Amino acid sequence: MRGPDRMFAPEMGGDGHGEDHGWGRGRGRGRGHGGGHRHGGGRGGRRRLFDHGELRLVVLALIAEQPRHGYEIIREIEDRVAGAYAPSPGVVYPTLTMLEEIGHASVEEAEGKKRYAATPEGEAHLEENRAAVDAALARMRAVAATQSGGRAPEIVRAWENLKLAYRLRLERGALSAEETQAIAAALDAAAVAIERS
């Protein structure tokens, strides 16, 4: 099965680069317009996690730490905020493409998957914007600290990964009878393992 690291059409929103980076106590993933953010609850509805341009800096900081696939970046951000927010593929992949086009990221492709790394120019840009990067990362840590009573981010990530993998498989064409049985068997096995855990 081809991995989920592929280009999606951007979802335009509040920051001009793909979506309004809101987060909140609501745990359900949005649908339709802006469907990559968590919808907020409580007073004031959604709160912005990233100011204009900050997500781009966070993505650049993550690939400066180590080369990553696009979906690894989504998972890493979600982990770092304890599942409170996950950027949509529709904003992460265009951001990576833009970083590559402006010379801040390099890309290597293997088996149909692209892995991105920061270039020296990208690392220099991070240093020039160190205060903004540190502020965004600190805000992510603060969000994670408020989520201690929520679902484990590893489980949230795995569940979203399962749904994405199934959707990507369906986009390749109809399932044969054998493929349908294999997928159903895998899901049944997962259900049994969860029930026994």
Side-chain angles (χ1 to χ4, degrees):
M1 178 182 297
R2 181 179 175 182
D5 196 84
R6 49 169 291 183
M7 179 65 73
F8 287 75
E11 302 164 15
M12 295 311 295
D15 74 348
H17 295 291
E19 68 182 67
D20 182 11
H21 308 296
W23 70 277
R25 294 179 185 146
R27 310 298 289 184
R29 187 173 292 275
R31 302 292 182 193
H33 180 72
H37 54 64
R38 306 288 181 181
H39 288 280
R43 293 183 301 175
R46 288 186 301 153
R47 292 156 285 174
R48 288 182 64 83
L49 178 58
F50 298 116
D51 291 331
H52 179 76
E54 281 187 333
L55 180 61
R56 190 192 328 165
L57 289 172
V58 168
V59 170
L60 182 57
L62 292 179
I63 63 175
E65 288 179 0
Q66 65 182 62
R68 301 178 196 264
H69 298 299
Y71 198 69
E72 290 173 330
I73 294 168
I74 295 172
R75 292 200 309 259
E76 184 66 20
I77 291 174
E78 187 171 22
D79 283 351
R80 293 195 185 198
V81 295
Y85 166 81
S88 72
V91 67
V92 168
Y93 290 100
T95 297
L96 288 167
T97 298
M98 179 176 61
L99 289 172
E100 181 187 4
E101 289 175 348
I102 64 178
H104 290 173
S106 61
V107 61
E108 293 182 357
E109 186 168 358
E111 298 180 356
K113 298 173 69 175
K114 294 181 178 181
R115 185 182 294 273
Y116 294 83
T119 62
E121 292 82 0
E123 293 178 352
H125 183 71
L126 284 174
E127 287 307 312
E128 292 169 2
N129 294 274
R130 179 54 55 189
V133 174
D134 290 345
L137 296 176
R139 194 177 311 118
M140 292 169 68
R141 290 191 295 269
V143 170
T146 69
Q147 302 298 310
S148 58
R151 293 183 295 172
E154 296 86 354
I155 294 176
V156 174
R157 181 188 69 224
W159 178 249
E160 296 299 332
N161 192 24
L162 173 64
K163 292 192 293 184
L164 179 61
Y166 181 63
R167 187 172 74 244
L168 291 177
R169 173 57 191 86
L170 292 181
E171 289 179 1
R172 299 204 325 257
L175 296 170
S176 67
E178 293 78 10
E179 290 170 330
T180 298
Q181 291 175 358
I183 291 173
L187 294 175
D188 287 340
V192 170
I194 292 170
E195 186 178 3
R196 292 177 176 174
S197 64

PDB file of all heavy atoms in Angstrom, residues 124-139:
ATOM      1  N   ALA A 124      19.416  29.002   8.611  1.00  0.00           N
ATOM      2  CA  ALA A 124      19.720  30.416   8.862  1.00  0.00           C
ATOM      3  C   ALA A 124      18.438  31.203   9.086  1.00  0.00           C
ATOM      4  O   ALA A 124      18.373  32.087   9.957  1.00  0.00           O
ATOM      5  CB  ALA A 124      20.516  30.996   7.692  1.00  0.00           C
ATOM      6  N   HIS A 125      17.396  30.883   8.323  1.00  0.00           N
ATOM      7  CA  HIS A 125      16.107  31.553   8.492  1.00  0.00           C
ATOM      8  C   HIS A 125      15.525  31.263   9.881  1.00  0.00           C
ATOM      9  O   HIS A 125      14.940  32.155  10.516  1.00  0.00           O
ATOM     10  CB  HIS A 125      15.147  31.086   7.402  1.00  0.00           C
ATOM     11  CG  HIS A 125      13.812  31.757   7.439  1.00  0.00           C
ATOM     12  ND1 HIS A 125      13.620  33.077   7.092  1.00  0.00           N
ATOM     13  CD2 HIS A 125      12.579  31.287   7.808  1.00  0.00           C
ATOM     14  CE1 HIS A 125      12.339  33.392   7.230  1.00  0.00           C
ATOM     15  NE2 HIS A 125      11.687  32.330   7.659  1.00  0.00           N
ATOM     16  N   LEU A 126      15.693  30.025  10.352  1.00  0.00           N
ATOM     17  CA  LEU A 126      15.222  29.697  11.698  1.00  0.00           C
ATOM     18  C   LEU A 126      15.942  30.534  12.751  1.00  0.00           C
ATOM     19  O   LEU A 126      15.326  31.027  13.695  1.00  0.00           O
ATOM     20  CB  LEU A 126      15.443  28.207  11.985  1.00  0.00           C
ATOM     21  CG  LEU A 126      14.480  27.224  11.331  1.00  0.00           C
ATOM     22  CD1 LEU A 126      14.931  25.792  11.614  1.00  0.00           C
ATOM     23  CD2 LEU A 126      13.058  27.442  11.843  1.00  0.00           C
ATOM     24  N   GLU A 127      17.244  30.689  12.597  1.00  0.00           N
ATOM     25  CA  GLU A 127      18.004  31.482  13.576  1.00  0.00           C
ATOM     26  C   GLU A 127      17.577  32.938  13.545  1.00  0.00           C
ATOM     27  O   GLU A 127      17.491  33.591  14.586  1.00  0.00           O
ATOM     28  CB  GLU A 127      19.505  31.350  13.303  1.00  0.00           C
ATOM     29  CG  GLU A 127      20.071  29.998  13.697  1.00  0.00           C
ATOM     30  CD  GLU A 127      19.743  29.638  15.144  1.00  0.00           C
ATOM     31  OE1 GLU A 127      19.939  30.492  16.034  1.00  0.00           O
ATOM     32  OE2 GLU A 127      19.270  28.515  15.372  1.00  0.00           O
ATOM     33  N   GLU A 128      17.279  33.450  12.349  1.00  0.00           N
ATOM     34  CA  GLU A 128      16.829  34.835  12.233  1.00  0.00           C
ATOM     35  C   GLU A 128      15.463  35.042  12.889  1.00  0.00           C
ATOM     36  O   GLU A 128      15.123  36.157  13.283  1.00  0.00           O
ATOM     37  CB  GLU A 128      16.745  35.231  10.755  1.00  0.00           C
ATOM     38  CG  GLU A 128      18.092  35.309  10.062  1.00  0.00           C
ATOM     39  CD  GLU A 128      17.949  35.444   8.552  1.00  0.00           C
ATOM     40  OE1 GLU A 128      16.798  35.505   8.067  1.00  0.00           O
ATOM     41  OE2 GLU A 128      18.991  35.464   7.860  1.00  0.00           O
ATOM     42  N   ASN A 129      14.704  33.972  12.982  1.00  0.00           N
ATOM     43  CA  ASN A 129      13.357  34.041  13.560  1.00  0.00           C
ATOM     44  C   ASN A 129      13.257  33.193  14.821  1.00  0.00           C
ATOM     45  O   ASN A 129      12.192  32.666  15.147  1.00  0.00           O
ATOM     46  CB  ASN A 129      12.327  33.567  12.530  1.00  0.00           C
ATOM     47  CG  ASN A 129      12.218  34.489  11.341  1.00  0.00           C
ATOM     48  OD1 ASN A 129      11.477  35.463  11.357  1.00  0.00           O
ATOM     49  ND2 ASN A 129      12.982  34.191  10.286  1.00  0.00           N
ATOM     50  N   ARG A 130      14.368  33.078  15.546  1.00  0.00           N
ATOM     51  CA  ARG A 130      14.422  32.197  16.706  1.00  0.00           C
ATOM     52  C   ARG A 130      13.379  32.547  17.751  1.00  0.00           C
ATOM     53  O   ARG A 130      12.760  31.659  18.359  1.00  0.00           O
ATOM     54  CB  ARG A 130      15.832  32.236  17.313  1.00  0.00           C
ATOM     55  CG  ARG A 130      16.017  31.378  18.565  1.00  0.00           C
ATOM     56  CD  ARG A 130      15.612  29.945  18.375  1.00  0.00           C
ATOM     57  NE  ARG A 130      16.273  29.302  17.256  1.00  0.00           N
ATOM     58  CZ  ARG A 130      15.933  28.092  16.799  1.00  0.00           C
ATOM     59  NH1 ARG A 130      14.907  27.437  17.334  1.00  0.00           N
ATOM     60  NH2 ARG A 130      16.581  27.578  15.775  1.00  0.00           N
ATOM     61  N   ALA A 131      13.126  33.812  17.976  1.00  0.00           N
ATOM     62  CA  ALA A 131      12.150  34.210  18.995  1.00  0.00           C
ATOM     63  C   ALA A 131      10.755  33.709  18.640  1.00  0.00           C
ATOM     64  O   ALA A 131      10.026  33.180  19.496  1.00  0.00           O
ATOM     65  CB  ALA A 131      12.143  35.731  19.165  1.00  0.00           C
ATOM     66  N   ALA A 132      10.381  33.845  17.360  1.00  0.00           N
ATOM     67  CA  ALA A 132       9.062  33.382  16.936  1.00  0.00           C
ATOM     68  C   ALA A 132       8.962  31.867  16.995  1.00  0.00           C
ATOM     69  O   ALA A 132       7.925  31.310  17.390  1.00  0.00           O
ATOM     70  CB  ALA A 132       8.767  33.874  15.521  1.00  0.00           C
ATOM     71  N   VAL A 133      10.042  31.176  16.608  1.00  0.00           N
ATOM     72  CA  VAL A 133      10.045  29.708  16.672  1.00  0.00           C
ATOM     73  C   VAL A 133       9.899  29.243  18.107  1.00  0.00           C
ATOM     74  O   VAL A 133       9.073  28.373  18.426  1.00  0.00           O
ATOM     75  CB  VAL A 133      11.350  29.147  16.052  1.00  0.00           C
ATOM     76  CG1 VAL A 133      11.424  27.633  16.253  1.00  0.00           C
ATOM     77  CG2 VAL A 133      11.432  29.488  14.571  1.00  0.00           C
ATOM     78  N   ASP A 134      10.689  29.824  19.004  1.00  0.00           N
ATOM     79  CA  ASP A 134      10.629  29.426  20.413  1.00  0.00           C
ATOM     80  C   ASP A 134       9.252  29.706  21.013  1.00  0.00           C
ATOM     81  O   ASP A 134       8.745  28.921  21.824  1.00  0.00           O
ATOM     82  CB  ASP A 134      11.707  30.149  21.216  1.00  0.00           C
ATOM     83  CG  ASP A 134      13.107  29.651  20.886  1.00  0.00           C
ATOM     84  OD1 ASP A 134      13.226  28.578  20.259  1.00  0.00           O
ATOM     85  OD2 ASP A 134      14.088  30.332  21.249  1.00  0.00           O
ATOM     86  N   ALA A 135       8.646  30.823  20.615  1.00  0.00           N
ATOM     87  CA  ALA A 135       7.321  31.158  21.134  1.00  0.00           C
ATOM     88  C   ALA A 135       6.286  30.138  20.671  1.00  0.00           C
ATOM     89  O   ALA A 135       5.422  29.703  21.451  1.00  0.00           O
ATOM     90  CB  ALA A 135       6.918  32.563  20.688  1.00  0.00           C
ATOM     91  N   ALA A 136       6.347  29.731  19.409  1.00  0.00           N
ATOM     92  CA  ALA A 136       5.391  28.750  18.884  1.00  0.00           C
ATOM     93  C   ALA A 136       5.576  27.406  19.562  1.00  0.00           C
ATOM     94  O   ALA A 136       4.591  26.743  19.936  1.00  0.00           O
ATOM     95  CB  ALA A 136       5.556  28.622  17.376  1.00  0.00           C
ATOM     96  N   LEU A 137       6.830  26.973  19.739  1.00  0.00           N
ATOM     97  CA  LEU A 137       7.077  25.693  20.391  1.00  0.00           C
ATOM     98  C   LEU A 137       6.655  25.718  21.856  1.00  0.00           C
ATOM     99  O   LEU A 137       6.125  24.734  22.382  1.00  0.00           O
ATOM    100  CB  LEU A 137       8.554  25.318  20.258  1.00  0.00           C
ATOM    101  CG  LEU A 137       9.047  25.070  18.825  1.00  0.00           C
ATOM    102  CD1 LEU A 137      10.549  24.804  18.818  1.00  0.00           C
ATOM    103  CD2 LEU A 137       8.305  23.902  18.189  1.00  0.00           C
ATOM    104  N   ALA A 138       6.876  26.851  22.516  1.00  0.00           N
ATOM    105  CA  ALA A 138       6.455  26.980  23.913  1.00  0.00           C
ATOM    106  C   ALA A 138       4.934  26.925  24.024  1.00  0.00           C
ATOM    107  O   ALA A 138       4.381  26.330  24.956  1.00  0.00           O
ATOM    108  CB  ALA A 138       6.987  28.287  24.503  1.00  0.00           C
ATOM    109  N   ARG A 139       4.240  27.546  23.069  1.00  0.00           N
ATOM    110  CA  ARG A 139       2.782  27.496  23.073  1.00  0.00           C
ATOM    111  C   ARG A 139       2.289  26.071  22.882  1.00  0.00           C
ATOM    112  O   ARG A 139       1.320  25.642  23.503  1.00  0.00           O
ATOM    113  CB  ARG A 139       2.231  28.415  21.977  1.00  0.00           C
ATOM    114  CG  ARG A 139       0.737  28.686  22.127  1.00  0.00           C
ATOM    115  CD  ARG A 139       0.229  29.663  21.056  1.00  0.00           C
ATOM    116  NE  ARG A 139       1.083  30.843  20.972  1.00  0.00           N
ATOM    117  CZ  ARG A 139       1.763  31.179  19.884  1.00  0.00           C
ATOM    118  NH1 ARG A 139       1.682  30.430  18.795  1.00  0.00           N
ATOM    119  NH2 ARG A 139       2.504  32.260  19.877  1.00  0.00           N
TER     120      ARG A 139
END
